[in-house]
């Protein structure tokens, strides 16, 4: 396997943290997204959407989309289970990971992509009003999440999962998106301190 890796960008980082939690080593092909390496002919041939990461299997199959890559890795290396155990557990993890993606990470990403000056040539057109609208959306989601985290240690229950990976990376991305940390949300902050202290968080 060979991973075309975009480094610290949110979606490549999600896969890197997942790999670190699993203890899996794969060959990496670094791609400099700052120099628009993800728009190169090589990456475009692997993923016409020009997005990273891309995992190329030994038979040449190219897998893109972070969760699809993680699902493949989970099937090859089931332990530790990061995407659920039995049918109910898998559904709960999937539910919370999708919520993290669609209601938190997407809101933070929209705030960043539509308001940050560095993104003006990437997000065409930049719609500043849309970016501003998404900032309170991200905070509102965290307020709901704070209530959930009063009942269990991690996002999808009492075990660390891919939902925590997605949530942590979205939380970290709040800084460049210029969204203040919700220090008043004690359960969220307790959860964030725990997940960001894991060795995999440095991946």
């Amino acid at each position: 396997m060979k991973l075309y890796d975009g480094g610290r960008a949110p979606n490549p980082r999600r896969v890197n943290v997942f790999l670190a939690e699993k203890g899996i080593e794969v060959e990496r092909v670094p791609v400099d997204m700052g120099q628009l390496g993800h728009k190169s002919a090589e990456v475009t041939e692997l993923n016409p959407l020009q997005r990273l990461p891309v995992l190329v299997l030994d038979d040449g199959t190219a897998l893109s989309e972070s969760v699809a890559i993680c699902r493949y890795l989970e099937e090859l290396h089931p332990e530790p289970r990061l995407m659920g155990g039995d049918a109910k557990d898998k559904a709960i993890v999937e539910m919370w990971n999708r919520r993290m993606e669609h209601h938190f990470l997407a809101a933070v990403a929209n705030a960043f992509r539509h308001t940050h000056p560095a993104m003006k040539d990437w997000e065409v057109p930049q719609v500043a009003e849309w970016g501003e609208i998404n900032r309170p959306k991200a905070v509102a989601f965290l307020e709901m999440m704070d209530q959930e985290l009063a009942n269990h240690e991690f996002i999808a229950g009492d075990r660390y999962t891919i939902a925590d990976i997605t949530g942590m990376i979205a939380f970290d991305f709040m800084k460049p998106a210029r969204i203040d940390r919700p220090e008043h949300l004690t359960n969220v902050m307790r959860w964030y301190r725990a997940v960001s202290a894991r060795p995999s968080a440095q991946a």
Side-chain angles (χ1 to χ4, degrees):
M1 293 188 292
K2 184 182 298 185
L3 181 68
Y4 284 74
D5 182 13
R8 300 292 289 181
N11 283 313
R13 190 175 167 221
R14 280 207 284 171
V15 172
N16 283 323
V17 173
F18 194 92
L19 284 164
E21 284 286 335
K22 291 281 189 181
I24 302 170
E25 293 290 338
V26 298
E27 180 184 353
R28 285 176 167 80
V29 180
V31 179
D32 188 342
M33 296 181 71
Q35 297 297 317
L36 302 182
H38 56 294
K39 295 184 179 294
S40 68
E42 182 179 10
V43 173
T44 302
E45 185 176 354
L46 296 170
N47 181 8
L49 292 176
Q50 298 180 322
R51 298 288 188 268
L52 294 173
V54 178
L55 182 67
V56 180
L57 309 186
D58 292 341
D59 66 359
T61 301
L63 299 177
S64 58
E65 304 303 331
S66 298
V67 176
I69 292 170
C70 291
R71 176 72 64 189
Y72 178 77
L73 295 169
E74 178 97 344
E75 291 293 323
L76 290 185
H77 304 273
E79 299 295 337
R81 292 193 176 276
L82 298 177
M83 303 188 81
D86 61 20
K88 177 181 174 182
D89 191 33
K90 287 178 179 177
I92 290 171
V93 172
E94 178 76 9
M95 174 180 74
W96 276 107
N97 192 52
R98 287 180 68 82
R99 286 173 172 176
M100 290 296 119
E101 288 185 308
H102 294 295
H103 301 289
F104 185 26
L105 180 57
V108 176
N110 282 328
F112 175 72
R113 295 180 70 93
H114 286 277
T115 65
H116 200 288
M119 296 301 294
K120 65 182 178 62
D121 294 327
W122 288 45
E123 195 66 43
V124 181
Q126 260 192 333
V127 182
E129 183 180 6
W130 175 237
E132 294 295 342
I133 286 170
N134 273 275
R135 287 196 170 97
K137 287 178 180 287
V139 175
F141 181 82
L142 287 174
E143 290 170 349
M144 182 273 288
M145 186 174 145
D146 192 68
Q147 296 176 20
E148 288 290 330
L149 286 168
N151 302 315
H152 36 80
E153 185 176 0
F154 297 107
I155 288 173
D158 293 322
R159 189 180 70 254
Y160 181 91
T161 69
I162 191 174
D164 297 289
I165 295 173
T166 301
M168 178 189 71
I169 286 166
F171 195 99
D172 284 342
F173 203 39
M174 289 169 63
K175 183 175 181 180
R178 298 170 183 168
I179 301 172
D180 292 336
R181 286 189 175 192
E183 300 289 346
H184 64 291
L185 300 178
T186 57
N187 297 314
V188 166
M189 295 309 299
R190 182 268 307 159
W191 160 83
Y192 175 74
R193 285 191 294 269
V195 295
S196 62
R198 297 171 76 91
S200 63
Q202 304 307 312

